Amino acid sequence: MALKTISESRCFGGVQGTYSHASTATGTEMRLSVFVPEEGTRRALPVVVYLSGLSCTEENFTVKAGAQRYAAELGLIVVAPDTSPRGPNVADDPAYDLGQGAGFYVDALQSPWAPHFRMYSYVAEELPALIATNFPQRPGALGIMGHSMGGHGALVLGLREQALFGSVSALAPIATPSQVPWGIKAFSAYLGPDAALWRPYDATALIEDGHRRADVLRIDQGEADKFLGEQLRPEVFAAACERAGQPVEVRRHPGYDHGYFFVATVIGDHLRHHAELLARR
C-alpha cells in the first residue's frame, strides 16, 4: 500500500497531490490525484472518489473541474484515479474508446485485456484500502461519482457495492452501455460476445435485475451534449428506475455540452450532495 509522491501543492488551504503505486489488481503502476483539505490535519474526513471518462487520466478532473474549492469548504477528501492500466506491456488499441484510457471500470475476461484491465476490482477493493491506509478518511464515509464513462462506473459500483459507497452521483453518464456503441464495443472486447456477462456492468440492467439503493441517484445532463442521444441514454436508465421504484433525479441543463465546463458548473452541487449523505455515516 506504499504510495510514491509525484507532486504536492498547496491549494485552498489544503494539499493537492498526485501519487502512484504498484497495483495488485492491474499488475501495473497506477496513478491517482488526491485533494486533502486543511481540516484533514485535525480530523478524519469523508472521501469522494471521482471516476473520469474516455481518454482521460487523473489529471483532467484535477486541473479542470474546480472541485478543490468546494471540497475545502465542505471538508471532503476527493480522489481521482486514472481511467485504466497503462504501460508498454499493457494491451492497447489505436481508438480512443478502447484500451489504455478506456478501461470502462470492468474486470476483463478476454485476451489480451484480462491480465491488466481489472478496473472494477481496483476501484471496489484496492483503491478504498489504499485511501484508508494513507489518508485521513473517516471510517465508512466513502462516496463515488463520475463523468461519462466514469459516470457509468460510478452508477455500477454504487449499485453493486452499497455497503462500501454511501453516496452515488453521475455527470452525463453512459447510463445503458449494453445498448449504445461505446458500451457494445468495449463490452464485446473486454467481456466477450455473451451479453449475459455484460449485465453486471450495465446500470440499467442492474436496476432491472433487482439492485436498489435507499438514497436518490443524482444525475446531471447537458441538453446540448452531442453524445446524449446515441451514447448516453439517461432516459432509459431513469425509466428503469421509475418502473422499479428506485429514487432517481435527472437534472437536465439547456445549452451545456459534454465537456469540463459543464462538469465545473455542477461539481459543487454534486459534492454538497455527497457531503450531506456521508455526514449520516
Side-chain angles (χ1 to χ4, degrees):
M1 289 299 173
L3 280 180
K4 301 175 186 176
T5 300
I6 297 172
S7 67
E8 288 185 333
S9 300
R10 292 288 287 171
C11 184
F12 292 104
V15 175
Q16 174 62 63
T18 301
Y19 309 94
S20 69
H21 70 102
S23 169
T24 56
T26 68
T28 66
E29 192 81 0
M30 292 292 295
R31 289 170 60 114
L32 65 154
S33 81
V34 183
F35 174 72
V36 181
E38 190 274 336
E39 193 175 347
T41 63
R42 301 189 298 272
R43 67 181 184 94
L45 300 175
V47 173
V48 178
V49 173
Y50 178 95
L51 303 181
S52 295
L54 284 168
S55 77
C56 291
T57 70
E58 78 291 337
E59 184 180 32
N60 298 74
F61 170 78
T62 304
V63 302
K64 294 181 178 180
Q68 294 90 342
R69 179 191 295 273
Y70 299 105
E73 294 172 355
L74 295 166
L76 293 173
I77 296 170
V78 179
V79 177
D82 200 354
T83 51
S84 79
R86 298 180 195 266
N89 297 317
V90 176
D92 201 7
D93 188 272
Y96 75 97
D97 55 357
L98 192 67
Q100 296 186 37
F104 267 85
Y105 305 101
V106 305
D107 284 349
L109 302 173
Q110 298 293 304
S111 178
W113 314 103
H116 300 294
F117 280 71
R118 297 185 54 79
M119 289 300 295
Y120 187 93
S121 290
Y122 179 75
V123 177
E125 299 170 10
E126 188 169 9
L127 185 63
L130 187 79
I131 296 165
T133 300
N134 291 279
F135 299 98
Q137 179 194 352
R138 194 173 80 228
L142 183 65
I144 191 164
M145 65 181 297
H147 171 237
S148 194
M149 178 184 71
H152 139 73
L155 291 173
V156 167
L157 282 147
L159 286 167
R160 289 178 56 181
E161 308 292 341
Q162 296 185 49
L164 178 62
F165 295 110
S167 56
V168 184
S169 71
L171 294 74
I174 305 172
T176 179
S178 297
Q179 301 179 43
V180 302
W182 276 342
I184 292 169
K185 178 178 181 178
F187 287 0
S188 297
Y190 298 146
L191 303 172
D194 184 357
L197 298 177
W198 303 1
R199 294 187 72 81
Y201 299 107
D202 184 314
T204 299
L206 289 172
I207 293 294
E208 293 172 345
D209 292 346
H211 286 76
R212 303 287 185 273
R213 291 187 64 94
D215 52 302
V216 175
L217 297 171
R218 165 76 61 83
I219 294 174
D220 278 81
Q221 175 64 59
E223 290 189 343
D225 189 326
K226 66 181 181 180
F227 302 116
L228 177 57
E230 183 181 25
Q231 302 284 14
L232 307 180
R233 307 294 304 279
E235 74 283 356
V236 177
F237 177 72
C241 288
E242 184 176 358
R243 291 192 298 270
Q246 167 63 52
V248 65
E249 181 182 15
V250 180
R251 307 191 305 180
R252 299 176 75 98
H253 302 265
Y256 284 89
D257 63 17
H258 196 69
Y260 263 91
F261 291 120
F262 168 64
V263 173
T265 299
V266 299
I267 192 68
D269 283 347
H270 278 255
L271 290 177
R272 282 187 284 269
H273 174 74
H274 286 272
E276 179 181 344
L277 291 176
L278 294 176
R280 306 172 188 172
R281 291 175 72 92

